[in-house]
Amino acid sequence: MKKLFAFIVCYLFVFLSSGQETQQDSTQEIEIDSLYREDQFYVGVTFNLLLNKPKGVSQSGFSGGLHLGFIRDMPINKRRNVAIGLGVGYSLNVYNQNLFIGEQENTEQSIFSSLEGIDYSTNRFTTHLVEAPFEFRWRTSTPQTHKFYRIYTGVRVGYLYSFKSNFKQPGNRVRQTKLDELNRWRVGATFTFGWNTFNFHFYYSLNTLFNSDAVIQGEPVGLNTAKIGLMFYIL
């Protein structure tokens, strides 16, 4: 009986001690959360569009993008529901379309033409970018919950460090990676809104993908890119 009583006393002592530690940890957690930051890591998937296309150029099939990065969340009010976000990220984009990109054999001058009416199996170009997002952020967050409404808007500056166009037809394949006509510095406006996990994301490039040297029968190729998709945030 004495042994049973001693066991119960020891058990209660351990239980109460652990309860006090949990309470202290909870108190510390609340104190830390009073200076919380939101949505510092992001992953996004988008459907990509080409806008302001020259005559004869159109998209075909699915064009998609994958975007991920880190944004430093910097609250600017006492409630911490308004903040500035500045970060760095990576963006992969694929565009399926009928714009042929090649080069002349002797001069290595770029060639742009429409594949309208021509049989081919594949024609797309792929871009890889390093980006710096800058956002103005508003949300209904509190230190106690991570489920809230959010509206984020801003600009995204990127550098297109890798480009590859790929054209295939029976007995013929053309790849192009070096292109002087690219506007490698990319600037776009962004808008994201949603609740909790699912957030709709929009992007529109403020400058064209190709500069004025890229022409099709005297008409500028241009092309503004737009992206529509979902953005997921992780603390």
Side-chain angles (χ1 to χ4, degrees), residues 2 15 20 31 59 77 81 86 120 131 144 185 191 194 217 222 224:
K2 291 182 179 180
F15 178 78
Q20 290 177 351
E31 291 175 356
Q59 284 191 253
N77 66 334
N81 69 322
L86 180 63
Y120 61 92
E131 297 183 319
Q144 288 78 26
W185 285 103
F191 182 75
Q217 297 179 348
N224 293 83

Side-chain angles (χ1 to χ4, degrees), residues 156-168:
R156 190 161 293 188
V157 179
Y159 181 75
L160 197 162
Y161 68 88
S162 177
F163 175 91
K164 182 175 71 173
S165 66
N166 188 19
F167 167 78
K168 292 181 184 179

Side-chain angles (χ1 to χ4, degrees), residues 34-84:
S34 66
L35 299 177
Y36 71 96
R37 300 175 188 270
E38 294 290 1
D39 300 343
Q40 300 200 82
F41 293 93
Y42 68 89
V43 177
V45 289
T46 58
F47 176 71
N48 295 344
L49 299 170
L50 294 173
L51 305 179
N52 302 322
K53 300 181 292 292
K55 184 178 180 180
V57 174
S58 62
Q59 284 191 253
S60 59
F62 177 79
S63 299
L66 173 65
H67 322 278
L68 51 91
F70 171 83
I71 297 180
R72 181 63 170 175
D73 187 78
M74 297 173 285
I76 57 176
N77 66 334
K78 185 176 181 180
R79 185 181 166 186
R80 304 181 76 82
N81 69 322
V82 178
I84 298 296

Side-chain angles (χ1 to χ4, degrees), residues 8-216:
I8 294 174
V9 171
C10 292
Y11 178 81
L12 290 174
F13 177 80
V14 173
F15 178 78
L16 292 174
S17 299
S18 62
Q20 290 177 351
E21 290 176 0
T22 302
Q23 185 175 2
Q24 291 175 357
D25 291 342
S26 299
T27 303
Q28 292 176 356
E29 185 177 353
I30 292 174
E31 291 175 356
I32 293 173
D33 282 346
S34 66
L35 299 177
Y36 71 96
R37 300 175 188 270
E38 294 290 1
D39 300 343
Q40 300 200 82
F41 293 93
Y42 68 89
V43 177
V45 289
T46 58
F47 176 71
N48 295 344
L49 299 170
L50 294 173
L51 305 179
N52 302 322
K53 300 181 292 292
K55 184 178 180 180
V57 174
S58 62
Q59 284 191 253
S60 59
F62 177 79
S63 299
L66 173 65
H67 322 278
L68 51 91
F70 171 83
I71 297 180
R72 181 63 170 175
D73 187 78
M74 297 173 285
I76 57 176
N77 66 334
K78 185 176 181 180
R79 185 181 166 186
R80 304 181 76 82
N81 69 322
V82 178
I84 298 296
L86 180 63
V88 62
Y90 162 77
S91 178
L92 164 66
N93 301 278
V94 178
Y95 301 89
N96 286 285
Q97 28 64 43
N98 67 344
L99 175 66
F100 175 78
I101 303 174
E103 66 179 15
Q104 296 180 357
E105 294 183 2
N106 298 328
T107 63
E108 295 185 354
Q109 184 178 355
S110 300
I111 300 173
F112 299 88
S113 63
S114 171
L115 294 172
E116 193 174 32
I118 298 175
D119 292 330
Y120 61 92
S121 58
T122 301
N123 189 72
R124 63 172 174 263
F125 57 77
T126 305
T127 64
H128 299 263
L129 298 93
V130 175
E131 297 183 319
F134 177 80
E135 296 179 341
F136 179 79
R137 300 174 147 201
W138 173 88
R139 62 260 179 145
T140 60
S141 60
T142 66
Q144 288 78 26
T145 179
H146 301 303
K147 297 180 179 180
F148 51 84
Y149 291 98
R150 59 171 63 80
I151 298 177
Y152 299 163
T153 185
V155 295
R156 190 161 293 188
V157 179
Y159 181 75
L160 197 162
Y161 68 88
S162 177
F163 175 91
K164 182 175 71 173
S165 66
N166 188 19
F167 167 78
K168 292 181 184 179
Q169 66 179 176
N172 187 23
R173 182 171 186 175
V174 179
R175 289 182 177 179
Q176 188 76 2
T177 57
K178 297 181 180 179
L179 208 61
D180 296 333
E181 291 81 3
L182 282 171
N183 282 324
R184 291 191 177 270
W185 285 103
R186 315 296 304 136
V187 181
T190 61
F191 182 75
T192 305
F193 72 94
W195 183 81
N196 196 16
T197 302
F198 294 97
N199 302 277
F200 295 99
H201 176 74
F202 301 90
Y203 168 96
Y204 178 77
S205 65
L206 301 178
N207 61 335
T208 58
L209 185 60
F210 299 98
N211 61 31
S212 58
D213 294 331
V215 294
I216 295 179

